[in-house]
């Protein structure tokens, strides 16, 4: 049987426990999971540049001993990245119905561009279904406690930023 590779793309700015939940669960389904970190974030109020986001995800993946997970920069069209990496599946997280509408549109567009690549929608565990990166960014902007929502690597950097901003 051929090796299976999936790509989980996103900005991960910052990576939440919901994102990491999907990484861990997806890693069990495929021989290789590539977390594709968007090179630029078009989201308002971006916190971390691509290098920082890559570093944090790599740190958390290593700590969790997810040997089949690779973290790479997504610097092109997603379907082109999947072809280059020989990935047959795109993993997308869906928390609420509004997520599904957007993700469904993107999945159909990707199917039109690359019919050989499937999209798999996954829901985060119910403990994390309400957590969004934008909520984490807002909490962090006011110096609030983000620990219940983010991974250890993200929390470490957010604490460092808060200390630096207070100086």
């Amino acid at each position: 049987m051929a090796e299976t590779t999936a790509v989980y793309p996103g900005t991960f700015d910052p990576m939440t426990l919901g994102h990491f939940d999907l990484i861990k669960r997806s890693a069990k389904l495929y021989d290789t999971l590539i977390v594709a970190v968007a090179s630029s974030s078009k989201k308002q109020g971006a916190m971390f540049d691509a290098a920082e986001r890559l570093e944090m995800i790599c740190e958390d993946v290593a700590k969790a001993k997810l040997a089949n997970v690779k973290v790479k920069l997504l610097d092109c069209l997603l379907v082109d990245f999947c072809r280059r990496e020989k990935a047959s599946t795109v993993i997308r997280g869906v928390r609420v119905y509004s997520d599904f509408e957007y993700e469904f549109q993107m999945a159909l567009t990707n199917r039109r561009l690359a019919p050989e690549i499937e999209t798999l929608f996954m829901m985060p565990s119910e403990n994390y279904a309400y957590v969004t990166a934008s909520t984490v960014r807002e909490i962090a902007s006011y110096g609030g406690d983000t620990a219940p929502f983010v991974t250890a690597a993200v929390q470490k950097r957010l604490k460092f930023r808060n200390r630096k901003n207070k100086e």
Side-chain angles (χ1 to χ4, degrees):
M1 194 160 137
E3 281 226 356
T4 58
T5 300
V7 171
Y8 179 32
T11 54
F12 306 105
D13 187 31
M15 181 167 68
T16 67
L17 290 174
H19 292 131
F20 202 58
D21 172 57
L22 290 184
I23 290 170
K24 291 186 291 188
R25 290 175 37 231
S26 298
K28 294 177 185 176
L29 302 175
Y30 295 90
D31 296 311
T32 303
L33 175 67
I34 301 169
V35 179
V37 180
S39 58
S40 64
S41 177
K42 295 178 180 140
K43 295 183 179 178
Q44 192 150 353
M47 287 193 100
F48 299 103
D49 64 29
E52 290 173 302
R53 290 180 277 133
L54 278 165
E55 188 177 296
M56 288 184 282
I57 296 169
C58 285
E59 190 176 316
D60 283 318
V61 164
K63 185 176 180 181
K65 296 182 170 86
L66 299 172
N68 66 326
V69 176
K70 299 176 183 177
V71 183
K72 297 186 177 188
L73 187 67
L74 175 61
D75 58 356
C76 61
L77 200 58
L78 178 59
V79 294
D80 292 338
F81 181 88
C82 289
R83 286 177 176 142
R84 182 175 72 209
E85 298 295 332
K86 297 177 178 35
S88 60
T89 307
V90 172
I91 306 290
R92 296 302 296 166
V94 178
R95 293 169 297 110
V96 293
Y97 188 73
S98 59
D99 286 351
F100 179 76
E101 287 182 291
Y102 172 78
E103 295 300 342
F104 184 71
Q105 180 183 10
M106 293 307 301
L108 291 176
T109 302
N110 287 338
R111 182 182 293 164
R112 179 73 176 200
L113 295 171
E116 73 278 12
I117 300 169
E118 292 293 338
T119 299
L120 175 67
F121 297 116
M122 292 183 71
M123 298 182 313
S125 296
E126 56 277 0
N127 298 347
Y128 309 120
Y130 67 95
V131 179
T132 67
S134 56
T135 301
V136 170
R137 287 192 302 270
E138 185 169 353
I139 292 167
S141 74
Y142 290 103
D145 181 16
T146 56
F149 312 112
V150 298
T151 64
V154 173
Q155 183 61 19
K156 179 173 68 176
R157 282 167 184 81
L158 288 173
K159 277 185 172 182
F160 176 76
R161 276 192 177 193
N162 283 340
R163 272 195 308 259
K164 201 171 169 182
N165 288 342
K166 287 179 182 177
E167 293 173 357

